[in-house]
Amino acid sequence: MPEKPTTVEVNILDKAYLVACPDNARQALLQAAQHLDSQMREIRASGKVFGTERIAVMAALNITHDLLQQSHMSEDATGILKRVDNRLDEALGEPNEG
């Protein structure tokens, strides 16, 4: 049976938001909110972006960019590991799996 969501209060730029989430995701939600708050404060402190909505969009873009970069690096690393594995198989005379 799916876990019933509970309401968690998170604070971002000194504003409270109530967010529903399962108990087992509470800590992850709090960490995500803390990361977002930190990113938004950094953008606001730069003095280059004004308005909470614009700051939130810039933070979302920055976080998304970082996530995509990590994903691409992970894909690159997986490809490299597969090539190394294939080379090892060839060197050991074992058949390649793909």
Side-chain angles (χ1 to χ4, degrees):
M1 172 182 276
E3 199 171 321
K4 181 181 176 188
T6 59
T7 303
V8 177
E9 181 177 305
V10 297
N11 289 290
I12 300 169
L13 287 184
D14 302 320
K15 185 170 180 180
Y17 297 89
L18 296 176
V19 181
C21 78
D23 278 337
N24 63 355
R26 177 185 168 91
Q27 192 59 38
L29 172 63
L30 292 172
Q31 288 176 331
Q34 184 179 15
H35 182 67
L36 177 58
D37 180 65
S38 172
Q39 292 294 307
M40 288 179 67
R41 286 178 186 280
E42 191 175 303
I43 291 167
R44 183 176 67 182
S46 76
K48 296 177 183 177
V49 181
F50 299 99
T52 304
E53 185 176 308
R54 288 179 182 264
I55 291 169
V57 169
M58 291 305 298
L61 286 171
N62 289 340
I63 291 167
T64 301
H65 177 263
D66 291 346
L67 180 64
L68 290 174
Q69 289 295 104
Q70 289 175 357
S71 176
H72 291 304
M73 287 190 298
S74 177
E75 288 172 6
D76 291 345
T78 299
I80 290 168
L81 288 174
K82 284 182 180 178
R83 288 194 300 274
V84 168
D85 189 45
N86 287 340
R87 294 265 172 101
L88 285 172
D89 286 346
E90 289 172 7
L92 296 172
E94 297 177 10
N96 289 341
E97 292 183 18

PDB file of all heavy atoms in Angstrom, residues 10-17 32-46 49-60:
ATOM      1  N   VAL A  10       8.817  23.818   4.138  1.00  0.00           N
ATOM      2  CA  VAL A  10      10.169  24.176   3.708  1.00  0.00           C
ATOM      3  C   VAL A  10      10.240  25.694   3.595  1.00  0.00           C
ATOM      4  O   VAL A  10       9.236  26.346   3.323  1.00  0.00           O
ATOM      5  CB  VAL A  10      10.550  23.504   2.365  1.00  0.00           C
ATOM      6  CG1 VAL A  10      10.558  21.998   2.497  1.00  0.00           C
ATOM      7  CG2 VAL A  10       9.625  23.927   1.246  1.00  0.00           C
ATOM      8  N   ASN A  11      11.416  26.235   3.828  1.00  0.00           N
ATOM      9  CA  ASN A  11      11.605  27.679   3.750  1.00  0.00           C
ATOM     10  C   ASN A  11      12.596  28.007   2.645  1.00  0.00           C
ATOM     11  O   ASN A  11      13.712  27.476   2.628  1.00  0.00           O
ATOM     12  CB  ASN A  11      12.114  28.231   5.082  1.00  0.00           C
ATOM     13  CG  ASN A  11      11.039  28.194   6.130  1.00  0.00           C
ATOM     14  OD1 ASN A  11      10.080  28.946   6.046  1.00  0.00           O
ATOM     15  ND2 ASN A  11      11.170  27.305   7.092  1.00  0.00           N
ATOM     16  N   ILE A  12      12.158  28.856   1.730  1.00  0.00           N
ATOM     17  CA  ILE A  12      12.991  29.277   0.620  1.00  0.00           C
ATOM     18  C   ILE A  12      12.934  30.799   0.543  1.00  0.00           C
ATOM     19  O   ILE A  12      11.847  31.374   0.440  1.00  0.00           O
ATOM     20  CB  ILE A  12      12.522  28.624  -0.698  1.00  0.00           C
ATOM     21  CG1 ILE A  12      12.614  27.098  -0.568  1.00  0.00           C
ATOM     22  CG2 ILE A  12      13.346  29.141  -1.871  1.00  0.00           C
ATOM     23  CD1 ILE A  12      11.950  26.336  -1.675  1.00  0.00           C
ATOM     24  N   LEU A  13      14.079  31.415   0.630  1.00  0.00           N
ATOM     25  CA  LEU A  13      14.190  32.880   0.682  1.00  0.00           C
ATOM     26  C   LEU A  13      13.240  33.468   1.732  1.00  0.00           C
ATOM     27  O   LEU A  13      12.494  34.407   1.460  1.00  0.00           O
ATOM     28  CB  LEU A  13      13.931  33.507  -0.689  1.00  0.00           C
ATOM     29  CG  LEU A  13      15.013  33.342  -1.736  1.00  0.00           C
ATOM     30  CD1 LEU A  13      14.647  34.112  -2.996  1.00  0.00           C
ATOM     31  CD2 LEU A  13      16.373  33.778  -1.237  1.00  0.00           C
ATOM     32  N   ASP A  14      13.282  32.896   2.908  1.00  0.00           N
ATOM     33  CA  ASP A  14      12.509  33.359   4.063  1.00  0.00           C
ATOM     34  C   ASP A  14      10.997  33.280   3.885  1.00  0.00           C
ATOM     35  O   ASP A  14      10.244  33.950   4.588  1.00  0.00           O
ATOM     36  CB  ASP A  14      12.912  34.794   4.439  1.00  0.00           C
ATOM     37  CG  ASP A  14      14.393  34.904   4.748  1.00  0.00           C
ATOM     38  OD1 ASP A  14      14.930  33.976   5.392  1.00  0.00           O
ATOM     39  OD2 ASP A  14      15.021  35.897   4.339  1.00  0.00           O
ATOM     40  N   LYS A  15      10.555  32.466   2.951  1.00  0.00           N
ATOM     41  CA  LYS A  15       9.129  32.247   2.762  1.00  0.00           C
ATOM     42  C   LYS A  15       8.837  30.772   2.978  1.00  0.00           C
ATOM     43  O   LYS A  15       9.546  29.910   2.453  1.00  0.00           O
ATOM     44  CB  LYS A  15       8.689  32.686   1.361  1.00  0.00           C
ATOM     45  CG  LYS A  15       7.199  32.591   1.156  1.00  0.00           C
ATOM     46  CD  LYS A  15       6.765  33.241  -0.126  1.00  0.00           C
ATOM     47  CE  LYS A  15       5.256  33.098  -0.250  1.00  0.00           C
ATOM     48  NZ  LYS A  15       4.744  33.702  -1.466  1.00  0.00           N
ATOM     49  N   ALA A  16       7.788  30.479   3.742  1.00  0.00           N
ATOM     50  CA  ALA A  16       7.428  29.090   4.053  1.00  0.00           C
ATOM     51  C   ALA A  16       6.495  28.537   2.980  1.00  0.00           C
ATOM     52  O   ALA A  16       5.578  29.220   2.519  1.00  0.00           O
ATOM     53  CB  ALA A  16       6.752  29.019   5.418  1.00  0.00           C
ATOM     54  N   TYR A  17       6.761  27.283   2.607  1.00  0.00           N
ATOM     55  CA  TYR A  17       5.924  26.564   1.653  1.00  0.00           C
ATOM     56  C   TYR A  17       5.561  25.223   2.268  1.00  0.00           C
ATOM     57  O   TYR A  17       6.414  24.560   2.859  1.00  0.00           O
ATOM     58  CB  TYR A  17       6.664  26.324   0.330  1.00  0.00           C
ATOM     59  CG  TYR A  17       7.030  27.589  -0.395  1.00  0.00           C
ATOM     60  CD1 TYR A  17       8.247  28.223  -0.144  1.00  0.00           C
ATOM     61  CD2 TYR A  17       6.177  28.149  -1.332  1.00  0.00           C
ATOM     62  CE1 TYR A  17       8.596  29.388  -0.810  1.00  0.00           C
ATOM     63  CE2 TYR A  17       6.516  29.315  -2.007  1.00  0.00           C
ATOM     64  CZ  TYR A  17       7.736  29.932  -1.730  1.00  0.00           C
ATOM     65  OH  TYR A  17       8.072  31.083  -2.389  1.00  0.00           O
ATOM     66  N   ALA A  32      16.627  19.093  -0.694  1.00  0.00           N
ATOM     67  CA  ALA A  32      16.383  19.766  -1.969  1.00  0.00           C
ATOM     68  C   ALA A  32      16.001  21.226  -1.742  1.00  0.00           C
ATOM     69  O   ALA A  32      16.488  22.123  -2.440  1.00  0.00           O
ATOM     70  CB  ALA A  32      15.292  19.036  -2.745  1.00  0.00           C
ATOM     71  N   ALA A  33      15.137  21.463  -0.775  1.00  0.00           N
ATOM     72  CA  ALA A  33      14.711  22.830  -0.474  1.00  0.00           C
ATOM     73  C   ALA A  33      15.899  23.661   0.022  1.00  0.00           C
ATOM     74  O   ALA A  33      16.042  24.831  -0.357  1.00  0.00           O
ATOM     75  CB  ALA A  33      13.600  22.818   0.568  1.00  0.00           C
ATOM     76  N   GLN A  34      16.748  23.068   0.832  1.00  0.00           N
ATOM     77  CA  GLN A  34      17.928  23.776   1.333  1.00  0.00           C
ATOM     78  C   GLN A  34      18.869  24.123   0.178  1.00  0.00           C
ATOM     79  O   GLN A  34      19.413  25.225   0.118  1.00  0.00           O
ATOM     80  CB  GLN A  34      18.644  22.934   2.377  1.00  0.00           C
ATOM     81  CG  GLN A  34      19.833  23.630   3.011  1.00  0.00           C
ATOM     82  CD  GLN A  34      20.499  22.770   4.072  1.00  0.00           C
ATOM     83  OE1 GLN A  34      20.275  21.569   4.163  1.00  0.00           O
ATOM     84  NE2 GLN A  34      21.331  23.397   4.872  1.00  0.00           N
ATOM     85  N   HIS A  35      19.044  23.191  -0.756  1.00  0.00           N
ATOM     86  CA  HIS A  35      19.901  23.441  -1.919  1.00  0.00           C
ATOM     87  C   HIS A  35      19.317  24.566  -2.771  1.00  0.00           C
ATOM     88  O   HIS A  35      20.043  25.475  -3.198  1.00  0.00           O
ATOM     89  CB  HIS A  35      20.055  22.155  -2.742  1.00  0.00           C
ATOM     90  CG  HIS A  35      20.939  22.296  -3.923  1.00  0.00           C
ATOM     91  ND1 HIS A  35      22.292  22.527  -3.827  1.00  0.00           N
ATOM     92  CD2 HIS A  35      20.663  22.264  -5.246  1.00  0.00           C
ATOM     93  CE1 HIS A  35      22.808  22.618  -5.033  1.00  0.00           C
ATOM     94  NE2 HIS A  35      21.828  22.460  -5.920  1.00  0.00           N
ATOM     95  N   LEU A  36      18.014  24.511  -3.032  1.00  0.00           N
ATOM     96  CA  LEU A  36      17.356  25.556  -3.819  1.00  0.00           C
ATOM     97  C   LEU A  36      17.486  26.909  -3.124  1.00  0.00           C
ATOM     98  O   LEU A  36      17.811  27.914  -3.763  1.00  0.00           O
ATOM     99  CB  LEU A  36      15.887  25.206  -4.054  1.00  0.00           C
ATOM    100  CG  LEU A  36      15.061  26.246  -4.807  1.00  0.00           C
ATOM    101  CD1 LEU A  36      15.666  26.538  -6.178  1.00  0.00           C
ATOM    102  CD2 LEU A  36      13.621  25.785  -4.928  1.00  0.00           C
ATOM    103  N   ASP A  37      17.244  26.937  -1.821  1.00  0.00           N
ATOM    104  CA  ASP A  37      17.362  28.180  -1.058  1.00  0.00           C
ATOM    105  C   ASP A  37      18.772  28.750  -1.183  1.00  0.00           C
ATOM    106  O   ASP A  37      18.957  29.944  -1.425  1.00  0.00           O
ATOM    107  CB  ASP A  37      17.012  27.924   0.411  1.00  0.00           C
ATOM    108  CG  ASP A  37      17.123  29.178   1.255  1.00  0.00           C
ATOM    109  OD1 ASP A  37      16.346  30.126   1.020  1.00  0.00           O
ATOM    110  OD2 ASP A  37      17.993  29.204   2.153  1.00  0.00           O
ATOM    111  N   SER A  38      19.767  27.892  -1.069  1.00  0.00           N
ATOM    112  CA  SER A  38      21.165  28.320  -1.180  1.00  0.00           C
ATOM    113  C   SER A  38      21.465  28.901  -2.556  1.00  0.00           C
ATOM    114  O   SER A  38      22.093  29.961  -2.680  1.00  0.00           O
ATOM    115  CB  SER A  38      22.076  27.128  -0.882  1.00  0.00           C
ATOM    116  OG  SER A  38      23.414  27.446  -1.142  1.00  0.00           O
ATOM    117  N   GLN A  39      20.998  28.217  -3.595  1.00  0.00           N
ATOM    118  CA  GLN A  39      21.221  28.688  -4.959  1.00  0.00           C
ATOM    119  C   GLN A  39      20.529  30.034  -5.191  1.00  0.00           C
ATOM    120  O   GLN A  39      21.097  30.938  -5.799  1.00  0.00           O
ATOM    121  CB  GLN A  39      20.703  27.660  -5.967  1.00  0.00           C
ATOM    122  CG  GLN A  39      21.487  26.377  -5.980  1.00  0.00           C
ATOM    123  CD  GLN A  39      22.900  26.572  -6.481  1.00  0.00           C
ATOM    124  OE1 GLN A  39      23.122  27.125  -7.548  1.00  0.00           O
ATOM    125  NE2 GLN A  39      23.865  26.128  -5.701  1.00  0.00           N
ATOM    126  N   MET A  40      19.303  30.156  -4.711  1.00  0.00           N
ATOM    127  CA  MET A  40      18.553  31.403  -4.905  1.00  0.00           C
ATOM    128  C   MET A  40      19.195  32.552  -4.143  1.00  0.00           C
ATOM    129  O   MET A  40      19.265  33.678  -4.645  1.00  0.00           O
ATOM    130  CB  MET A  40      17.090  31.205  -4.499  1.00  0.00           C
ATOM    131  CG  MET A  40      16.334  30.333  -5.494  1.00  0.00           C
ATOM    132  SD  MET A  40      14.604  30.048  -5.057  1.00  0.00           S
ATOM    133  CE  MET A  40      13.914  31.702  -5.253  1.00  0.00           C
ATOM    134  N   ARG A  41      19.694  32.288  -2.947  1.00  0.00           N
ATOM    135  CA  ARG A  41      20.374  33.336  -2.174  1.00  0.00           C
ATOM    136  C   ARG A  41      21.655  33.796  -2.880  1.00  0.00           C
ATOM    137  O   ARG A  41      21.978  34.981  -2.889  1.00  0.00           O
ATOM    138  CB  ARG A  41      20.678  32.850  -0.765  1.00  0.00           C
ATOM    139  CG  ARG A  41      19.455  32.773   0.114  1.00  0.00           C
ATOM    140  CD  ARG A  41      19.759  32.233   1.516  1.00  0.00           C
ATOM    141  NE  ARG A  41      18.530  32.046   2.240  1.00  0.00           N
ATOM    142  CZ  ARG A  41      17.855  33.028   2.838  1.00  0.00           C
ATOM    143  NH1 ARG A  41      18.300  34.258   2.787  1.00  0.00           N
ATOM    144  NH2 ARG A  41      16.732  32.768   3.488  1.00  0.00           N
ATOM    145  N   GLU A  42      22.359  32.840  -3.451  1.00  0.00           N
ATOM    146  CA  GLU A  42      23.587  33.169  -4.181  1.00  0.00           C
ATOM    147  C   GLU A  42      23.275  34.059  -5.384  1.00  0.00           C
ATOM    148  O   GLU A  42      23.972  35.053  -5.633  1.00  0.00           O
ATOM    149  CB  GLU A  42      24.255  31.871  -4.633  1.00  0.00           C
ATOM    150  CG  GLU A  42      25.645  32.032  -5.175  1.00  0.00           C
ATOM    151  CD  GLU A  42      26.270  30.683  -5.484  1.00  0.00           C
ATOM    152  OE1 GLU A  42      26.363  29.834  -4.577  1.00  0.00           O
ATOM    153  OE2 GLU A  42      26.658  30.499  -6.653  1.00  0.00           O
ATOM    154  N   ILE A  43      22.229  33.731  -6.111  1.00  0.00           N
ATOM    155  CA  ILE A  43      21.826  34.527  -7.274  1.00  0.00           C
ATOM    156  C   ILE A  43      21.373  35.911  -6.831  1.00  0.00           C
ATOM    157  O   ILE A  43      21.759  36.928  -7.432  1.00  0.00           O
ATOM    158  CB  ILE A  43      20.725  33.802  -8.078  1.00  0.00           C
ATOM    159  CG1 ILE A  43      21.328  32.558  -8.742  1.00  0.00           C
ATOM    160  CG2 ILE A  43      20.083  34.726  -9.109  1.00  0.00           C
ATOM    161  CD1 ILE A  43      20.301  31.589  -9.301  1.00  0.00           C
ATOM    162  N   ARG A  44      20.578  35.972  -5.775  1.00  0.00           N
ATOM    163  CA  ARG A  44      20.095  37.263  -5.270  1.00  0.00           C
ATOM    164  C   ARG A  44      21.269  38.132  -4.813  1.00  0.00           C
ATOM    165  O   ARG A  44      21.308  39.333  -5.084  1.00  0.00           O
ATOM    166  CB  ARG A  44      19.104  37.053  -4.125  1.00  0.00           C
ATOM    167  CG  ARG A  44      18.509  38.361  -3.605  1.00  0.00           C
ATOM    168  CD  ARG A  44      17.479  38.139  -2.545  1.00  0.00           C
ATOM    169  NE  ARG A  44      18.086  37.581  -1.333  1.00  0.00           N
ATOM    170  CZ  ARG A  44      17.417  37.251  -0.241  1.00  0.00           C
ATOM    171  NH1 ARG A  44      16.099  37.400  -0.203  1.00  0.00           N
ATOM    172  NH2 ARG A  44      18.036  36.765   0.802  1.00  0.00           N
ATOM    173  N   ALA A  45      22.245  37.518  -4.151  1.00  0.00           N
ATOM    174  CA  ALA A  45      23.399  38.258  -3.634  1.00  0.00           C
ATOM    175  C   ALA A  45      24.277  38.808  -4.764  1.00  0.00           C
ATOM    176  O   ALA A  45      24.969  39.808  -4.573  1.00  0.00           O
ATOM    177  CB  ALA A  45      24.223  37.369  -2.717  1.00  0.00           C
ATOM    178  N   SER A  46      24.226  38.175  -5.931  1.00  0.00           N
ATOM    179  CA  SER A  46      25.035  38.655  -7.060  1.00  0.00           C
ATOM    180  C   SER A  46      24.578  40.038  -7.516  1.00  0.00           C
ATOM    181  O   SER A  46      25.350  40.776  -8.128  1.00  0.00           O
ATOM    182  CB  SER A  46      24.973  37.679  -8.233  1.00  0.00           C
ATOM    183  OG  SER A  46      23.733  37.794  -8.923  1.00  0.00           O
ATOM    184  N   VAL A  49      20.188  39.740 -10.768  1.00  0.00           N
ATOM    185  CA  VAL A  49      18.824  39.292 -11.059  1.00  0.00           C
ATOM    186  C   VAL A  49      17.914  39.830  -9.963  1.00  0.00           C
ATOM    187  O   VAL A  49      18.208  39.692  -8.773  1.00  0.00           O
ATOM    188  CB  VAL A  49      18.744  37.749 -11.126  1.00  0.00           C
ATOM    189  CG1 VAL A  49      17.331  37.295 -11.443  1.00  0.00           C
ATOM    190  CG2 VAL A  49      19.725  37.191 -12.149  1.00  0.00           C
ATOM    191  N   PHE A  50      16.800  40.411 -10.362  1.00  0.00           N
ATOM    192  CA  PHE A  50      15.868  40.986  -9.403  1.00  0.00           C
ATOM    193  C   PHE A  50      14.507  40.318  -9.517  1.00  0.00           C
ATOM    194  O   PHE A  50      14.075  39.946 -10.608  1.00  0.00           O
ATOM    195  CB  PHE A  50      15.726  42.496  -9.634  1.00  0.00           C
ATOM    196  CG  PHE A  50      17.028  43.226  -9.468  1.00  0.00           C
ATOM    197  CD1 PHE A  50      17.779  43.581 -10.571  1.00  0.00           C
ATOM    198  CD2 PHE A  50      17.512  43.528  -8.210  1.00  0.00           C
ATOM    199  CE1 PHE A  50      18.987  44.242 -10.432  1.00  0.00           C
ATOM    200  CE2 PHE A  50      18.713  44.189  -8.052  1.00  0.00           C
ATOM    201  CZ  PHE A  50      19.450  44.542  -9.162  1.00  0.00           C
ATOM    202  N   GLY A  51      13.848  40.153  -8.407  1.00  0.00           N
ATOM    203  CA  GLY A  51      12.522  39.556  -8.363  1.00  0.00           C
ATOM    204  C   GLY A  51      12.612  38.072  -8.049  1.00  0.00           C
ATOM    205  O   GLY A  51      13.407  37.342  -8.659  1.00  0.00           O
ATOM    206  N   THR A  52      11.806  37.647  -7.103  1.00  0.00           N
ATOM    207  CA  THR A  52      11.836  36.263  -6.649  1.00  0.00           C
ATOM    208  C   THR A  52      11.572  35.276  -7.786  1.00  0.00           C
ATOM    209  O   THR A  52      12.234  34.240  -7.889  1.00  0.00           O
ATOM    210  CB  THR A  52      10.802  36.057  -5.515  1.00  0.00           C
ATOM    211  OG1 THR A  52      11.086  36.991  -4.478  1.00  0.00           O
ATOM    212  CG2 THR A  52      10.887  34.658  -4.956  1.00  0.00           C
ATOM    213  N   GLU A  53      10.632  35.606  -8.653  1.00  0.00           N
ATOM    214  CA  GLU A  53      10.311  34.694  -9.754  1.00  0.00           C
ATOM    215  C   GLU A  53      11.504  34.524 -10.698  1.00  0.00           C
ATOM    216  O   GLU A  53      11.851  33.407 -11.093  1.00  0.00           O
ATOM    217  CB  GLU A  53       9.104  35.209 -10.530  1.00  0.00           C
ATOM    218  CG  GLU A  53       8.643  34.258 -11.612  1.00  0.00           C
ATOM    219  CD  GLU A  53       7.369  34.749 -12.300  1.00  0.00           C
ATOM    220  OE1 GLU A  53       6.395  35.050 -11.596  1.00  0.00           O
ATOM    221  OE2 GLU A  53       7.402  34.827 -13.541  1.00  0.00           O
ATOM    222  N   ARG A  54      12.155  35.611 -11.042  1.00  0.00           N
ATOM    223  CA  ARG A  54      13.325  35.535 -11.924  1.00  0.00           C
ATOM    224  C   ARG A  54      14.477  34.797 -11.241  1.00  0.00           C
ATOM    225  O   ARG A  54      15.183  34.023 -11.887  1.00  0.00           O
ATOM    226  CB  ARG A  54      13.771  36.929 -12.348  1.00  0.00           C
ATOM    227  CG  ARG A  54      12.817  37.575 -13.326  1.00  0.00           C
ATOM    228  CD  ARG A  54      13.320  38.980 -13.695  1.00  0.00           C
ATOM    229  NE  ARG A  54      12.402  39.620 -14.580  1.00  0.00           N
ATOM    230  CZ  ARG A  54      12.518  39.625 -15.899  1.00  0.00           C
ATOM    231  NH1 ARG A  54      13.504  38.991 -16.471  1.00  0.00           N
ATOM    232  NH2 ARG A  54      11.644  40.259 -16.640  1.00  0.00           N
ATOM    233  N   ILE A  55      14.648  35.037  -9.963  1.00  0.00           N
ATOM    234  CA  ILE A  55      15.697  34.332  -9.219  1.00  0.00           C
ATOM    235  C   ILE A  55      15.408  32.836  -9.210  1.00  0.00           C
ATOM    236  O   ILE A  55      16.311  32.019  -9.406  1.00  0.00           O
ATOM    237  CB  ILE A  55      15.804  34.891  -7.777  1.00  0.00           C
ATOM    238  CG1 ILE A  55      16.369  36.317  -7.811  1.00  0.00           C
ATOM    239  CG2 ILE A  55      16.659  33.992  -6.902  1.00  0.00           C
ATOM    240  CD1 ILE A  55      16.275  37.055  -6.482  1.00  0.00           C
ATOM    241  N   ALA A  56      14.140  32.467  -9.010  1.00  0.00           N
ATOM    242  CA  ALA A  56      13.761  31.053  -8.995  1.00  0.00           C
ATOM    243  C   ALA A  56      14.017  30.401 -10.352  1.00  0.00           C
ATOM    244  O   ALA A  56      14.515  29.273 -10.424  1.00  0.00           O
ATOM    245  CB  ALA A  56      12.290  30.900  -8.601  1.00  0.00           C
ATOM    246  N   VAL A  57      13.699  31.103 -11.436  1.00  0.00           N
ATOM    247  CA  VAL A  57      13.923  30.553 -12.771  1.00  0.00           C
ATOM    248  C   VAL A  57      15.417  30.381 -13.031  1.00  0.00           C
ATOM    249  O   VAL A  57      15.851  29.343 -13.547  1.00  0.00           O
ATOM    250  CB  VAL A  57      13.268  31.440 -13.861  1.00  0.00           C
ATOM    251  CG1 VAL A  57      13.726  31.029 -15.253  1.00  0.00           C
ATOM    252  CG2 VAL A  57      11.751  31.359 -13.753  1.00  0.00           C
ATOM    253  N   MET A  58      16.221  31.361 -12.659  1.00  0.00           N
ATOM    254  CA  MET A  58      17.672  31.242 -12.852  1.00  0.00           C
ATOM    255  C   MET A  58      18.237  30.086 -12.025  1.00  0.00           C
ATOM    256  O   MET A  58      19.080  29.329 -12.510  1.00  0.00           O
ATOM    257  CB  MET A  58      18.373  32.552 -12.481  1.00  0.00           C
ATOM    258  CG  MET A  58      18.091  33.688 -13.442  1.00  0.00           C
ATOM    259  SD  MET A  58      18.467  33.302 -15.169  1.00  0.00           S
ATOM    260  CE  MET A  58      20.212  32.987 -15.081  1.00  0.00           C
ATOM    261  N   ALA A  59      17.764  29.934 -10.795  1.00  0.00           N
ATOM    262  CA  ALA A  59      18.218  28.822  -9.952  1.00  0.00           C
ATOM    263  C   ALA A  59      17.813  27.491 -10.582  1.00  0.00           C
ATOM    264  O   ALA A  59      18.615  26.545 -10.626  1.00  0.00           O
ATOM    265  CB  ALA A  59      17.649  28.947  -8.542  1.00  0.00           C
ATOM    266  N   ALA A  60      16.587  27.410 -11.075  1.00  0.00           N
ATOM    267  CA  ALA A  60      16.121  26.174 -11.722  1.00  0.00           C
ATOM    268  C   ALA A  60      16.972  25.856 -12.948  1.00  0.00           C
ATOM    269  O   ALA A  60      17.348  24.696 -13.170  1.00  0.00           O
ATOM    270  CB  ALA A  60      14.651  26.305 -12.111  1.00  0.00           C
TER     271      ALA A  60
END
